[in-house]
Amino acid sequence: MLRVLVTGAAGLIGGEVCARLAARGHAVTAMVRRNPEVRGNDGALVDGLRVVRGDVTLPLMGLAPEPQDVVMHCAAHLDFDAPEAELHAVNVAGTQNALDHAREAGAAFLHVSTAYVCGDRDGHIVEGPVPEGTCFTNRYEASKAAGERVVEASGLRFVIARPSIVLGDSATGAIRDFPSLCNVFRLMARGKVTRLPVAGGATFDCVPIDHVAEGLVALAERMDEAAAGHFHLVGDEPMPVAELAAGVARVPHFPDPEIVPPEGYEPEGPLAQRMIATFGPYFTRSPRFDDSRFRAATGLACPPTDRAWLDRLIAYGIKRGYLPSPPA
């Protein structure tokens, strides 16, 4: 049995990780900030854990350290457009506060980052430190890379886990909270975006929430073997960006978005303009994340992230009312 402190436990990843850790008999301390409810991806409250209130922007996260085996740091500021100072306070200085807490608690540190610390690099991306001189496409990516550097310099036993874009369950498409990428589906399904500017060959890497949560638990249980490692928790194959529009078009009551070249594209209105400002760089590149070290360390392989999975994601969005229902 491990003693695990999970930060960001009320979040999508943190909640599902807590559910899986508790189900395996580990002693889980779930740290929340405002929302006291820790729920798994199925929406059910997680039993068998202790909930504490903390804040990563405070020294030692505002908590009196208690003996722990692992601090799993899921808490993060996820807004691509947030001011640099806000992102630094949570994703960099907040990571340092979590590290200080782990040191006082005698714990190893499992840091949840993002695969997109690759920045604007294309092609094969290895599981290792972010290269010097990497150019990032938004302040969020830069802050997460800076957070990784703080972890690497800490002197603690650490593991850095890098999920890609986390979407719904591999079997059902279910997701407790819809992440920001889902707004692209929503805008196209509602006819607010009729043209999607995509460079030829551009891909997203999307990963099911169950693969990410199971992978984080597996790494927590293997901290000695995985120590000082960087691990990609990613889809089995990148998804062509154009497939997002194709998935919308396959739904009979949705519009049929047009794929257009990015050159000369003019947003159709403020919603499309905001979408391009947030996701535009992700429509023009194709990183390929190597996850061979993760698979060797955990024995886990991601379920198919194919067209059938995308269709399940969209069907679940309709069922939940997030995407438009068929007309009566």
Side-chain angles (χ1 to χ4, degrees), residues 9-11 31-39 51-53 176:
M31 193 191 93
V32 302
R33 188 164 66 106
R34 292 197 186 100
N35 181 7
E37 295 183 340
V38 178
R39 297 180 179 271
V51 179
V52 298
R53 288 186 181 272
R176 194 189 77 201

Side-chain angles (χ1 to χ4, degrees), residues 211-234:
H211 181 61
V212 171
E214 191 66 17
L216 290 172
V217 171
L219 289 172
E221 294 174 336
R222 297 165 173 80
M223 290 295 290
D224 287 339
E225 301 94 321
H230 302 69
F231 299 96
H232 286 150
L233 285 65
V234 295

Side-chain angles (χ1 to χ4, degrees), residues 13-133:
I13 294 176
E16 180 63 12
V17 164
C18 284
R20 291 174 183 250
L21 286 168
R24 290 172 116 137
H26 298 302
V28 182
T29 301
M31 193 191 93
V32 302
R33 188 164 66 106
R34 292 197 186 100
N35 181 7
E37 295 183 340
V38 178
R39 297 180 179 271
N41 188 52
D42 61 0
L45 286 170
V46 181
D47 295 324
L49 48 75
R50 183 169 67 104
V51 179
V52 298
R53 288 186 181 272
D55 186 335
V56 297
T57 65
L58 299 176
L60 298 179
M61 305 189 296
L63 298 177
E66 300 175 354
Q68 301 286 350
D69 298 306
V70 180
V71 169
M72 186 186 297
H73 187 43
C74 298
H77 197 319
L78 303 176
D79 188 349
F80 290 3
D81 304 322
E84 184 174 352
E86 290 183 13
L87 287 163
H88 185 275
V90 176
N91 294 348
V92 186
T95 297
Q96 183 62 65
N97 291 333
L99 285 160
D100 292 341
H101 185 100
R103 182 175 289 106
E104 293 296 319
F109 197 79
L110 203 171
H111 182 60
V112 181
S113 184
T114 172
Y116 282 91
V117 291
C118 67
D120 64 1
R121 289 181 291 149
D122 269 341
H124 187 74
I125 309 294
V126 299
E127 296 168 285
V130 177
E132 291 292 331

Side-chain angles (χ1 to χ4, degrees), residues 140-160:
Y140 166 74
E141 292 176 356
S143 72
K144 293 299 284 185
E148 288 194 9
R149 290 193 291 273
V150 169
V151 174
E152 292 160 351
S154 68
L156 292 181
R157 188 161 46 100
F158 74 85
V159 164
I160 293 175

Side-chain angles (χ1 to χ4, degrees), residues 275-286:
M275 179 191 75
I276 295 303
T278 302
F279 291 106
Y282 296 85
F283 297 162
T284 59
R285 54 185 172 156
S286 183

